[in-house]
Every structure is written in structure tokens, then in C-alpha cells.
Amino acid sequence: MSRDNPTSLEQRLSVHLQPLYPDEDPARMAQACLEAMELSPSATPVKPHANLWSERDTVVITYGDSIRREAEAPLQTLRQFCHDHLSDCISTLHILPFFPYSSDDGFSVMDYTTVNPALGNWDDIETLSAEFKIMGDLVINHCSSRSLWFDNFRQSIDPGASFFYCAPGDADTSMVVRPRTSPLLREVETPDGVKHVWCTFSHDQVDLNFENPDVLYEFIKIIRLYLEKGIRWFRMDAVAFVWKKLGTACINLPETHELIRLLRLLIEHKAPDAVIITETNIPNHENLTYFGNANEAHLIYNFSLPPLLLNTLITGNCTHLKSWLMTMPPAQFGTTYLNFVASHDGIGLRPTEGLLSEWEVDTMISTLQRFGAKVSCRTNAQGEPKPYEINISLWNALQGTAQHGPDTWQYARFMCAHAIMASLEGIPAFYIHSLIATENDYERIENTGHFRSINRHIWDADALSDALQDTGTHHHKVINGMRRLLEIRCKQPAFHPNATQFTLHLGESLFAFWRQSTDRRQSIFAIHNISDQPQSLNLSELNLVSTDQWTDLISEQHFEDRVAQLELAPYQYMWLTNL
């Protein structure tokens, strides 16, 4: 069998298994993988480079209990909210980990096979999957120290006795890159003596040992269960850290990429409409490697977009955002970007490495701290704390500028940020607290002791309903503005995630790009004033084809004069289309 030209599915799996498990029989392991996924070796291969999305795809990111109603399962409350407010303008619901957990708001999973009864049950997930595509988290790097697996590890019994990655207590881990300042190794008493388990994130989140094939088989069974329950989009949480080798940075190792290729092969043969998203909050050039050759992630998070866009809007200068956009490769068909401005986590700063200077990052941090932000740190190579992410709600983050502080342009700036995200190449993902413009939750920080809680508010459903119906609230204004934006977007072929994109050069204060539909019929010029001052634009600077009729989709204004001088108000945006 040639690694370069394998034929059967079993042979193709063996190609990926051999470098991961050189001491095992790859054919036997391939068969075990097929059995775990309940796949036939003759399963039909998927069509390569197929786009499993369109311009109608938009993701909403939410916790299962971001909205609660007394005496009602939160997943049912969530379904009702999405049905009432979002069913005509979103396609995909990313429900953050909805399993029993012990910490980190769900990312310390105790049982991967059960829905947290405080949220609902599998019937609720399947009901949601009938109306929306569901993205679920595959928390693959670690699990809870209160899980059955880890209880078994403590007792040296299976399953679990060898499920966790251990290192010598005196191991040199100085090269290890991780996003936390806590000690990496945790002492654990077992019948076989003291062991030191690896904890990339916290001592309650113990890293799994994928060098053990049994861990692989367990996760394949978990994936199969999720597919059976209606989950089709898989977010591989913290996957960059999943493989460890002492003496290395223990991040982005070749084995990690091989593991993703293996899992993708299994998933796409089991469910050809399934999508893999890798969550890798790392420098941009490293993040891009998770596309592989269109054989790893279908989608990668555009982690550089949130900090660069925030920097742009608080400085009124799009130079860095524009430079970054010009360096971003067009995604191959069958892959695309997942664009977001805010999420359940903070605004990551590692993705700015090589894109913003240290002074510019410090300016952004100090500005957002004036707006109520907290800052989380990691440990750098010298063992010193270094800012890792900024924790703040996006509504508060965009209340003003670095130069002038809070101002009257908060709503316009907020909508401009989302208009940029919605029109870029890729699929837009809106955090639920951005859709409803939730503010900083300091009380939740006090209750949890974690800075990330500032942007993880839990709404009472009736209070939220009142706020959204009250025309005097910013919540009402924002959700209606967002709905209109998405209703316009989903009808434009030029906003297909893989439609052509070219950056335009209209100065420091106008961020603009051209999108063209895959059939070349529709062009859209997306133009955004990212400053707090009016900006002029002569339409002659754009390539407006003279035989076409041009209309701004936002204002519905028609333009007959192709050399007209326009003035864009602060944070005004235009989507000029020829259709």
C-alpha cells in the first residue's frame, strides 16, 4: 500500500494511524476505528472540495442557559427565543458544552455522553436540530478531574487507568506554550504511586493521552453518538494542544494535524454533511495550517479578526486590518473561515503577534480597561505573566475611541463592526450577547471569580423580552438592526463564504473590499467608515461597471452618477451591488 495513493477507506485510515501509533498494527487499528464509528470499509467517499454552506449560513454562539425561564428547561427556552427572533436569519446554533461539568462553564466535562440535566436532555438537542444545524463542542484535549475516567485513573482501573497524559515530576517543561499561569503538572496519588498529570488549562481540566489508542476509540464513539443525536458541526476545542512531546512547545505538533485528518476521514464518511471547526487561538500563520490541504478543518476561526477590528474602530485607522486582509489566502473550495468579533471567551491577543506592535496592544488594553475590561494573563517563555486576552462585552468595548473616550457613536460603531464581519469572506458567527447588546456583568465575576464571566451574563427570559420590546432600549435597537443586516446578507450570492474578495485602498478611514459571486453575476463593494469623523468617497474610485445599475443595499439608494461625491457619516457602511 502506498501512503501517497491508498485505495480503500481502511487503507486510508491506516495511512493516518501509522505515524500516530508506530508500535501498533495500523490495519487492526483501522478496523477498530471503523467498528467504533459503525462504518463499513466500503463506505461511500464524500465529494472532495464540496462547499457545505452558502450565503444563507450564519452561526449564533450561545450557552444552553444564556436565557432562563423559571420551571422550564433552558434548552427549551433557547429554542423558543431563537424561533421567535432568529429563525429567518440564522442557520446554525453553536451551543457551548451542554454536558455535566465541574468548572469553566462547561469546558471541564464530566460525562461526554449525557446532556446536563440542568439544561435539558437529548430530546431537546434533537428538537433544536430539526430547526437549526447544531454545532457541538468536542472537548478533546482534556476532561474533568471529577469524571469517571479520572476517578478510575486514581484507582488504576479501566477505563481510565492510562487515559491521562503524565510526565516525570522533574520534567523540563520550560518550552511548553500554554495560555495559563497555573502550574502545568498536578500530583495525583494512585495505587501505582504518585503520578504527575498534565493540565494545560487548570488542575480540574486534566489532559487526555491520545498516545493510548483506547482514548482514540472512546472519542470516535462519542462523535458517533453526537451524529446520531443530530449534531453536524463539530468544534474541536483547544485541539492545538492535544498531542504532547517533552522537549517541544507541545502545541501544533505534526501528530495533532494527523489526528484531525484521521477524525475528519471518519466523520465525513459517516455523515457527508458534517463540518469540522478547529478552535486554535494562536498566531495567524499557525492558525492557517489547520486547513491542511483541504483535508483537516472545514472551517478555522478567524482569531485575528476580533482584536484587529477592535483596534481599527477605537483608533479610526484601518491600516493593520487592511494589511492583514491582503495577506489572508482565499480558502479552497470545501474550506472557509469562521468570522467572529465576540464569543464566550475574551478577545485573544496571541493572534495579534506579528500584526500589532507591543505599544498598539498596550494602547488597546488600556483603552478597553477604561471601558470596564479585565485582562487575563498567560505565562511566557521566561515564566512571566503576559496579557493573553481582554475580557469585556463587545457593547461596552465599542463605546468610544482611544483618543476621545466614550462618545455618542456607540450604536453606529457596534453595527459597523458586525457589518464588516458579515460581509467578509467566510461564515459570520454572532455571539448571542452581541445580538442583544448585553453589558458587562461584574456581579457574575464576583460570583465565579473568573474574568471571562464578564461576558457570560444569564438573562431572565421575561426581562429580556421586555428589554427587546421596549423601543427606548439599546437592546431593542441592536437586535432589530442585526436582524435587518442578516436578512439582507443572506440574499446576496456575492456574500457566499467562498465568493471572491479583493481589498480596496481608500485611505486609513475607509475599510473596503469587493466581493464577487462564484458565478460572477453579482458584485458588492462593501465600504465602511471606521472613524468618528465624516469621510468623503468619490464613486470614480470604485470599478462600477457602467452598464449595471448600482444600489446601496443598506440605504436602498440608487446611484446613476458613477463619479458622484459621497459623504459617509461616522461608522456608516454601504453595500453597493449591481443586482
Side-chain angles (χ1 to χ4, degrees):
M1 177 188 68
S2 166
R3 179 178 171 88
D4 297 325
N5 190 30
T7 53
S8 71
L9 175 56
E10 187 173 340
Q11 288 175 323
R12 294 175 68 192
L13 291 170
S14 296
V15 165
H16 299 303
L17 289 161
Q18 195 162 19
L20 291 172
Y21 304 98
D23 297 329
E24 303 286 339
D25 177 0
R28 183 193 62 79
M29 284 197 67
Q31 186 59 43
C33 290
L34 291 171
E35 290 173 2
M37 189 62 94
E38 294 185 356
L39 263 178
S40 165
S42 60
T44 305
V46 297
K47 181 182 178 182
H49 304 296
N51 289 327
L52 304 175
W53 42 77
S54 74
E55 60 274 12
R56 301 195 65 82
D57 279 293
T58 298
V59 178
V60 168
I61 306 165
T62 180
Y63 281 101
D65 63 349
S66 290
I67 305 168
R68 289 180 181 170
R69 178 175 283 115
E70 190 174 350
E72 183 174 69
L75 287 173
Q76 296 174 16
T77 308
L78 175 64
R79 180 196 168 275
Q80 192 62 52
F81 173 83
C82 292
H83 178 81
D84 292 346
H85 296 280
L86 304 172
S87 61
D88 55 348
C89 57
I90 73 162
S91 64
T92 306
L93 199 56
H94 175 198
I95 309 174
L96 291 154
F98 47 79
F99 315 103
Y101 71 96
S102 55
S103 64
D104 198 18
D105 286 344
F107 285 93
S108 186
V109 178
M110 295 168 63
D111 181 356
Y112 289 87
T113 64
T114 306
V115 175
N116 185 349
L119 298 177
N121 54 41
W122 279 119
D123 288 343
D124 296 316
I125 295 296
E126 292 184 81
T127 299
L128 279 161
S129 72
E131 191 166 353
F132 305 98
K133 289 181 278 192
I134 301 299
M135 184 194 302
D137 283 275
L138 191 66
V139 185
I140 196 170
N141 178 70
H142 52 263
C143 75
S144 169
S145 66
R146 290 172 54 192
S147 64
L148 174 62
W149 288 349
F150 198 68
D151 283 346
N152 287 350
F153 174 84
R154 290 174 181 274
Q155 302 174 62
S156 297
I157 60 176
D158 289 321
S162 55
F163 272 25
F164 298 91
Y165 191 84
C166 299
D170 59 355
D172 180 4
T173 60
S174 60
M175 293 181 65
V176 175
V177 172
R178 54 193 291 261
R180 297 292 186 272
T181 56
S182 57
L184 176 61
L185 300 180
R186 171 188 169 181
E187 282 191 13
V188 180
E189 291 280 355
T190 77
D192 301 323
V194 174
K195 295 186 178 180
H196 296 83
V197 293
W198 192 282
C199 301
T200 297
F201 292 93
S202 79
H203 281 192
D204 186 44
Q205 295 165 294
V206 189
D207 285 34
L208 293 152
N209 178 20
F210 272 88
E211 291 181 8
N212 179 355
D214 289 335
V215 175
L216 172 66
Y217 302 145
E218 287 293 333
F219 269 88
I220 293 171
K221 292 174 187 175
I222 290 165
I223 291 168
R224 189 192 75 220
L225 172 67
Y226 294 176
L227 288 168
E228 290 168 352
K229 298 300 184 182
I231 295 171
R232 283 298 178 270
W233 287 32
F234 291 85
R235 176 185 181 270
M236 292 190 172
D237 176 65
V239 70
F241 301 96
V242 77
W243 208 275
K244 288 86 175 169
K245 277 187 179 178
L246 287 175
T248 74
C250 296
I251 186 172
N252 306 322
L253 296 183
E255 291 85 353
T256 296
H257 291 275
E258 198 75 69
L259 179 64
I260 295 169
R261 291 191 283 269
L262 170 70
L263 293 177
R264 170 163 173 168
L265 192 60
L266 288 162
I267 289 170
E268 65 186 6
H269 278 77
K270 185 69 173 180
D273 60 340
V275 171
I276 291 173
I277 303 98
T278 50
E279 189 264 335
T280 49
N281 190 356
I282 51 181
N284 191 57
H285 67 282
E286 296 173 11
N287 190 34
L288 289 169
T289 65
Y290 283 85
F291 277 141
N293 186 22
N295 61 350
E296 293 187 31
H298 294 88
L299 278 70
I300 62 171
Y301 279 83
N302 232 339
F303 274 109
S304 294
L305 179 60
L308 288 178
L309 186 51
L310 268 175
N311 177 73
T312 294
L313 290 166
I314 66 173
T315 63
N317 187 317
C318 67
T319 300
H320 293 306
L321 184 62
K322 186 165 58 176
S323 297
W324 164 77
L325 192 64
M326 289 189 296
T327 67
M328 291 295 285
Q332 294 185 56
F333 275 20
T335 67
T336 195
Y337 298 102
L338 189 68
N339 296 322
F340 72 109
V341 189
S343 74
H344 61 293
D345 288 338
I347 300 152
L349 296 176
R350 285 215 69 204
T352 66
E353 292 175 16
L355 301 173
L356 295 179
S357 69
E358 189 171 330
W359 177 84
E360 288 165 325
V361 170
D362 288 344
T363 299
M364 180 165 61
I365 290 173
S366 62
T367 299
L368 296 185
Q369 284 178 320
R370 288 163 58 196
F371 299 161
K374 306 296 183 182
V375 179
S376 298
C377 292
R378 65 181 178 91
T379 302
N380 65 13
Q382 290 73 45
E384 302 165 339
K386 183 177 177 65
Y388 172 71
E389 67 177 18
I390 305 171
N391 303 112
I392 189 171
S393 86
L394 192 65
W395 175 253
N396 288 96
L398 293 173
Q399 65 185 273
T401 64
Q403 184 176 4
H404 300 121
D407 57 25
T408 60
W409 299 108
Q410 187 172 14
Y411 171 76
R413 190 181 291 112
F414 191 77
M415 291 304 300
C416 182
H418 289 92
I420 290 171
M421 178 185 76
S423 50
L424 284 168
E425 176 188 351
I427 297 173
F430 291 74
Y431 187 37
I432 194 166
H433 289 302
S434 296
L435 285 172
I436 53 184
T438 305
E439 298 168 285
N440 289 339
D441 189 338
Y442 298 107
E443 183 179 349
R444 190 161 169 78
I445 291 180
E446 291 180 12
N447 291 338
T448 67
H450 298 295
F451 287 160
R452 283 181 168 178
S453 297
I454 198 171
N455 197 24
R456 297 179 179 179
H457 181 71
I458 296 175
W459 277 94
D460 172 77
D462 295 328
L464 177 58
S465 179
D466 291 344
L468 296 180
Q469 292 180 41
D470 184 347
T471 57
T473 68
H474 68 273
H475 307 290
H476 170 88
K477 192 174 182 181
V478 165
I479 196 167
N480 282 285
M482 293 288 199
R483 281 176 48 83
R484 181 171 184 269
L485 190 75
L486 291 175
E487 287 166 359
I488 293 171
R489 182 195 183 278
C490 72
K491 298 173 184 175
Q492 313 308 320
F495 286 154
H496 184 287
N498 295 92
T500 298
Q501 175 174 286
F502 283 107
T503 308
L504 304 178
H505 299 275
L506 301 177
E508 295 179 349
S509 300
L510 291 177
F511 180 60
F513 43 90
W514 171 63
R515 303 293 308 278
Q516 186 183 54
S517 59
T518 54
D519 64 5
R520 302 183 70 177
R521 292 184 64 245
Q522 185 185 30
S523 286
I524 293 179
F525 290 89
I527 305 159
H528 315 82
N529 179 2
I530 49 80
S531 76
D532 59 2
Q533 299 298 315
Q535 300 295 327
S536 296
L537 170 68
N538 194 307
L539 288 182
S540 63
E541 295 183 67
L542 307 178
N543 296 325
L544 302 184
V545 176
S546 61
T547 55
D548 291 343
Q549 300 296 315
W550 293 90
T551 303
D552 175 19
L553 292 166
I554 305 301
S555 67
E556 301 182 350
Q557 181 180 355
H558 299 285
F559 294 92
E560 302 292 340
D561 184 358
R562 285 160 181 74
V563 295
Q565 188 78 14
L566 307 182
E567 184 170 279
L568 279 73
Y571 307 105
Q572 181 183 350
Y573 49 91
M574 305 174 70
W575 289 348
L576 288 175
T577 181
N578 62 336
L579 291 183

